């Protein structure tokens, strides 16, 4: 889930803009800046679309040559990795421009328009400050890579590494443009003064910071991160600010090392699957495959009490994780099901509550991007995670179905349409190509036939063929925008992984991981206490940080502790992901809940009461999964 990173509408809507600002808005420099901004973003969008398209072609060619022609292209993964890093950094630029970097707005949104304008301006200034800090170390890091040759292509690794300083420079430029375009002069002056005072105070206190020892962890990784997140600064920039501040002021670590850790986090080969699955999800929606699945499931159980609610849960289970975005999953389902459910008299608050909790329930359904991420940062087998994730999600789905049965057991079915066997058969035949895709993807990875990256390219090719020749619904004109959207979402995901990886490394170097391990292994009750505490911690983290940053930040720290406590690491991964899913979709802080409301066009207040029952069912299911490890590991 992503929330708006820099929601400048509050700034634009502020009623206290000065006459000077109004005059400046109509001035020549402001118009010139707007034209330059549009040209720059158009250029970056074209580059992103081209990079992702070429990456898909290269990886698909690698699959064809490896499995069909038995002549592997040894350079395909290496070239795809280079393209991927460039696409990720340029996608992060677009995410900053669009306001799609993950951020928390629960507190900022409650401010008055004038105060929110000031806080949003401060968020932009802090983001710019971070990018200015990153730029020179990123250049030094890329320049140092010039002497390194890639194994297969035998070219300088600087061709790949310079994506970092170029991306940082473009983000810095975009941030400055946005500040000039939408910031009020008074707010900019106050924000700059605040940052200057804080920087001066830190510089004054810098000589004393190394003597504080572990207290610096509270100052930077609790204080700085919390202030940044709750002020609406994008989570990735909050992480990076804390990391750069801690290492530069309290240690002798060269700042290029931090950029190197970011590069390491963003360049993991497993992450190549992220933009491909995001694009595949968009393909499924565009070709009509998602609608075909929903219509078939509705024909099976739509005539029973609560039938369409069961269809919603089942469809979320089938399509979940393929798009890489829960918003995309929900957006493919809600417009198809909700009108008919409302026609039958369903309460809109109950609908959005069920949609939200169904999103939490399916967090472990492969090919979940969170599963792929946790595998990349912990070294766990993706195949094992895919196998382990299916049954726990099914257990939670059954818990939700029980609540649906309780609530809809007296539903009026007089308006429900019942289909005969022949009609159901026709719908099954129409939906079969769409129904087969999720099972083919999951089966190929679980059985070790192909990697997650390879199977995503196969899925894209399959969707193209099905859209062209089966459903005959393929909008070529939408492809460029789909490529850009996939690159933007992927850029936001990958950049936060890089920042969180650097922060996790800094925490490890500080000795925090050893202290945390000692604390959690000393808890009475052994593995049971460890699991119970982990559930609580990750529910809270899921509501504040969302799944991917929390996973990347705490995964390397807690998984060795889980192993020492006697908890199966695959089982622990499933418990952690489900816990974060519950937090992510739980009001009042979980941004997933508000995303479900936005997709459904339903007021968030309407779902507050109905969601309690569904969340209680999820909590019981989570406890069952956590303390019955066989549910996760029985088929490994």
């Amino acid at each position: 889930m992503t929330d708006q990173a820099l929601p400048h509408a509050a700034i634009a809507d502020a009623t206290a803009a000065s006459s000077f600002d109004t005059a400046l808005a109509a001035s020549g420099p402001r118009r010139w800046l707007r034209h330059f901004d549009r040209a720059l973003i158009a250029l970056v969008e074209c580059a992103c679309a081209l990079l992702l398209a070429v990456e898909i072609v290269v990886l698909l060619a690698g699959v064809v040559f490896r499995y069909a022609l038995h002549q592997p292209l040894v350079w395909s993964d290496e070239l795809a990795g280079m393209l991927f890093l460039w696409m990720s950094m340029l996608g992060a630029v677009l995410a900053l421009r669009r306001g799609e970097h993950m951020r928390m707005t629960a507190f900022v949104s409650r401010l008055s328009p004038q105060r929110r304008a000031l806080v949003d301006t401060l968020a932009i200034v802090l983001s710019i400050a971070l990018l200015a800090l990153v730029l020179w170390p990123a250049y030094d890091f890329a320049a140092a890579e010039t002497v390194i040759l890639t194994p297969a292509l035998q070219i300088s690794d600087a061709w790949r590494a310079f994506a970092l300083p170029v991306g940082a420079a473009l983000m810095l430029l975009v941030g400055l443009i946005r500040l000039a375009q939408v910031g009020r002069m008074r707010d900019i002056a106050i924000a700059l003064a605040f940052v200057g005072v804080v920087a001066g105070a830190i510089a004054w206190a810098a000589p004393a910071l190394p003597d504080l020892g572990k207290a610096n962890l509270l100052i930077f990784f609790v204080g700085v991160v919390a202030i940044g997140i709750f002020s609406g600064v994008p989570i990735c920039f909050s992480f990076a600010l804390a990391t750069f501040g801690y290492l530069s002021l309290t240690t002798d670590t060269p700042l290029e090392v931090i950029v190197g850790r970011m590069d390491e986090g963003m360049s993991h080969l497993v992450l190549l699957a992220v933009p491909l699955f995001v694009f595949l999800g968009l393909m499924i929606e565009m070709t009509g495959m998602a609608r075909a699945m929903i219509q078939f499931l509705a024909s099976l159980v739509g005539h029973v009490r609560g039938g369409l609610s069961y269809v919603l849960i089942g469809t979320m289970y089938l399509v979940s994780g393929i798009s890489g975005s829960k918003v995309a999953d929900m957006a493919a389902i809600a417009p198809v099901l909700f009108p008919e459910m409302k026609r039958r008299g369903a309460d809109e608050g109950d609908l959005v509550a069920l949609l939200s909790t169904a999103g939490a329930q399916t967090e472990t359904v492969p090919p979940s991007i969170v599963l792929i991420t946790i595998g990349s940062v912990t070294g766990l087998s993706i195949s094992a995670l895919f196998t382990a994730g299916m049954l726990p999600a099914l257990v939670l789905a059954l818990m939700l179905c029980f609540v649906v049965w309780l609530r809809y057991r007296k539903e009026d079915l007089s308006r429900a349409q019942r289909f005969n066997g022949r009609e159901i058969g026709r719908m099954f035949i129409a939906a079969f190509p769409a129904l087969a895709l999720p099972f083919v993807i999951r089966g190929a990875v679980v059985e070790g036939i192909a990697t997650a990256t390879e199977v995503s390219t196969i899925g894209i090719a399959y969707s193209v063929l099905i859209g062209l020749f089966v459903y005959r619904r393929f909008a070529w004109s939408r492809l460029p925008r789909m490529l850009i959207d996939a690159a933007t979402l992927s850029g936001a995901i990958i950049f936060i992984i890089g920042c969180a990886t650097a922060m996790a490394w800094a925490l490890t170097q500080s000795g925090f991981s050893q202290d945390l391990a000692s604390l959690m292994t000393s808890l009475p009750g052994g593995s049971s206490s460890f699991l119970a505490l982990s559930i609580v911690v990750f529910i809270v983290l899921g509501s504040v940080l969302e799944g991917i940053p929390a996973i990347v930040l705490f995964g390397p720290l807690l998984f060795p502790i889980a192993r020492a406590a006697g908890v199966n690491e695959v089982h622990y991964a499933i418990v952690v992901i489900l816990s974060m899913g519950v937090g992510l979709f739980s009001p009042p802080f979980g941004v997933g809940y508000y995303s479900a409301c936005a997709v459904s066009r339903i007021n968030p207040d309407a779902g507050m009461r109905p969601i309690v029952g569904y969340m209680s069912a999820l909590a019981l299911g989570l406890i069952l999964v956590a303390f019955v490890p066989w549910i996760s590991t029985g088929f490994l």
Side-chain angles (χ1 to χ4, degrees):
M1 293 303 101
T2 59
D3 199 5
Q4 285 196 342
L6 299 173
H8 303 298
I11 300 176
D13 293 340
T15 57
S18 66
S19 59
F20 177 80
D21 293 320
T22 304
L24 183 62
S27 66
R30 182 68 66 92
R31 288 197 301 271
W32 177 88
L33 196 61
R34 185 168 61 250
H35 292 314
F36 176 76
D37 177 50
R38 290 175 179 173
L40 175 65
I41 295 304
L43 181 63
V44 175
E45 286 181 342
C46 289
C48 280
L50 182 61
L51 286 167
L52 181 53
V54 174
E55 181 185 341
I56 292 171
V57 171
V58 168
L59 289 171
L60 184 59
V63 171
V64 172
F65 273 80
R66 179 177 291 114
Y67 294 106
L69 304 179
H70 305 291
Q71 296 179 350
L73 300 177
V74 295
W75 48 265
S76 61
D77 286 346
E78 193 171 281
L79 177 58
M82 289 185 175
L83 298 172
F84 171 74
L85 186 59
W86 276 97
M87 185 218 68
S88 298
M89 290 302 298
L90 295 181
V93 174
L94 295 180
L96 182 62
R97 175 62 176 78
R98 293 181 174 190
E100 293 182 4
H101 278 290
M102 300 177 189
R103 95 189 271 246
M104 181 180 178
T105 58
F107 294 99
V108 176
S109 61
R110 299 179 183 179
L111 299 175
S112 65
Q114 292 82 5
R115 290 181 178 178
R116 181 169 182 177
L118 174 59
V119 173
D120 284 335
T121 302
L122 178 61
I124 303 174
V125 170
L126 287 173
S127 301
I128 290 172
L130 179 276
L131 293 166
L133 285 173
V134 169
L135 188 57
W136 191 253
Y139 175 81
D140 287 342
F141 171 79
E145 296 292 300
T146 304
V147 298
I148 300 175
L149 296 180
T150 61
L153 294 173
Q154 287 295 295
I155 61 175
S156 172
D157 193 51
W159 286 100
R160 182 193 63 83
F162 265 100
L164 295 167
V166 171
L170 288 173
M171 279 193 278
L172 178 60
L173 182 58
V174 166
L176 290 170
I177 291 173
R178 295 304 293 161
L179 186 64
Q181 284 182 331
V182 301
R184 296 182 300 169
M185 294 301 298
R186 186 190 69 180
D187 291 342
I188 293 174
I190 293 173
L192 290 174
F194 174 81
V195 172
V197 169
V198 172
I202 292 175
W204 174 78
L209 289 177
D211 297 330
L212 296 179
K214 295 292 178 65
N216 285 308
L217 300 179
L218 292 176
I219 295 173
F220 290 96
F221 296 121
V222 176
V224 172
V225 170
I227 292 172
I229 289 176
F230 288 107
S231 299
V233 178
I235 295 173
C236 52
F237 296 142
S238 299
F239 283 0
L241 274 171
T243 305
F244 271 81
Y246 172 76
L247 291 177
S248 62
L249 295 172
T250 67
T251 73
D252 297 325
T253 305
L255 296 184
E256 303 93 85
V257 174
I258 310 174
V259 178
R261 299 287 74 77
M262 292 175 63
D263 173 65
E264 180 183 337
M266 298 171 67
S267 300
H268 200 290
L269 194 60
V270 172
L271 296 177
L272 287 174
V274 171
L276 304 181
F277 276 121
V278 172
F279 184 69
L280 176 57
L282 297 174
M283 290 285 295
I284 290 173
E285 185 277 328
M286 185 261 281
T287 56
M289 296 171 71
R291 179 175 290 271
M293 283 189 278
I294 292 172
Q295 290 175 339
F296 168 65
L297 293 175
S299 71
L300 286 178
V301 297
H303 59 280
V304 304
R305 289 184 171 87
L308 294 182
S309 296
Y310 300 137
V311 171
L312 190 154
I313 295 170
T315 307
M316 282 294 292
Y317 189 93
L318 284 174
V319 305
S320 181
I322 295 178
S323 72
S325 167
K326 277 293 183 292
V327 176
D329 296 341
M330 294 186 292
I333 293 170
V336 180
L337 281 177
F338 277 20
E340 176 62 19
M341 296 173 80
K342 290 179 180 179
R343 190 178 69 86
R344 294 191 186 186
D347 176 71
E348 65 176 16
D350 191 72
L351 295 183
V352 74
L354 180 59
L355 181 66
S356 180
T357 48
Q361 159 244 321
T362 55
E363 284 286 78
T364 62
V365 177
S368 164
I369 300 301
V370 181
L371 283 178
I372 295 171
T373 302
I374 206 169
S376 72
V377 300
T378 63
L380 295 176
S381 164
I382 302 296
S383 174
L385 290 170
F386 276 22
T387 303
M390 299 290 287
L391 188 55
L394 183 59
V395 169
L396 267 62
L398 293 175
M399 301 295 289
L400 291 179
C401 287
F402 177 71
V403 178
V404 168
W405 176 79
L406 288 176
R407 292 188 173 180
Y408 288 89
R409 63 187 185 276
K410 295 182 180 180
E411 181 185 14
D412 180 12
L413 296 177
S414 59
R415 299 180 182 179
Q417 181 181 3
R418 182 185 291 269
F419 295 91
N420 59 41
R422 180 174 296 180
E423 291 172 326
I424 294 174
R426 284 201 299 266
M427 290 187 183
F428 172 72
I429 293 172
F432 180 77
L435 291 169
L437 178 60
F439 295 100
V440 169
I441 289 174
R442 290 153 187 158
V445 176
V446 169
E447 296 298 326
I449 298 173
T451 66
T453 303
E454 291 171 339
V455 81
S456 62
T457 61
I458 296 171
I460 291 171
Y462 177 87
S463 298
V464 171
L465 295 175
I466 295 300
L468 287 172
F469 300 112
V470 177
Y471 295 119
R472 299 183 181 276
R473 181 180 168 185
F474 197 91
W476 291 98
S477 60
R478 289 181 58 184
L479 284 181
R481 180 50 53 188
M482 290 164 57
L483 288 167
I484 293 168
D485 290 344
T488 302
L489 176 58
S490 302
I493 293 172
I494 302 304
F495 191 70
I496 202 171
I497 289 175
C499 294
T501 299
M503 185 171 170
W505 178 83
L507 284 169
T508 302
Q509 296 303 306
S510 71
F512 172 76
S513 57
Q514 291 83 355
D515 295 340
L516 182 64
S518 300
L519 173 64
M520 298 193 75
T521 52
S522 64
L523 290 173
S527 61
S528 297
S529 297
F530 175 74
L531 281 173
L533 180 60
S534 296
I535 290 173
V536 174
V537 167
F538 278 100
I539 287 177
V540 174
L541 290 174
S543 66
V544 177
L545 297 181
E546 302 191 30
I548 289 176
I551 280 290
V552 180
L553 180 58
F554 289 97
L557 304 179
L558 292 181
F559 275 76
I561 304 173
R563 189 189 313 118
V567 179
N568 182 284
E569 288 180 283
V570 174
H571 171 60
Y572 187 63
I574 300 302
V575 172
V576 162
I577 292 172
L578 289 177
S579 300
M580 288 188 301
V582 171
L584 177 63
F585 287 89
S586 296
F589 300 123
V591 295
Y593 172 73
Y594 299 103
S595 298
C597 294
V599 166
S600 310
R601 294 182 172 85
I602 294 174
N603 191 303
D605 295 341
M608 289 295 185
R609 289 189 64 184
I611 204 172
V612 173
Y614 293 120
M615 278 296 171
S616 298
L618 287 184
L620 290 175
L622 174 58
I623 293 171
L624 181 63
V625 170
F627 294 99
V628 183
W630 182 90
I631 297 175
S632 301
T633 62
F635 294 97
L636 295 182

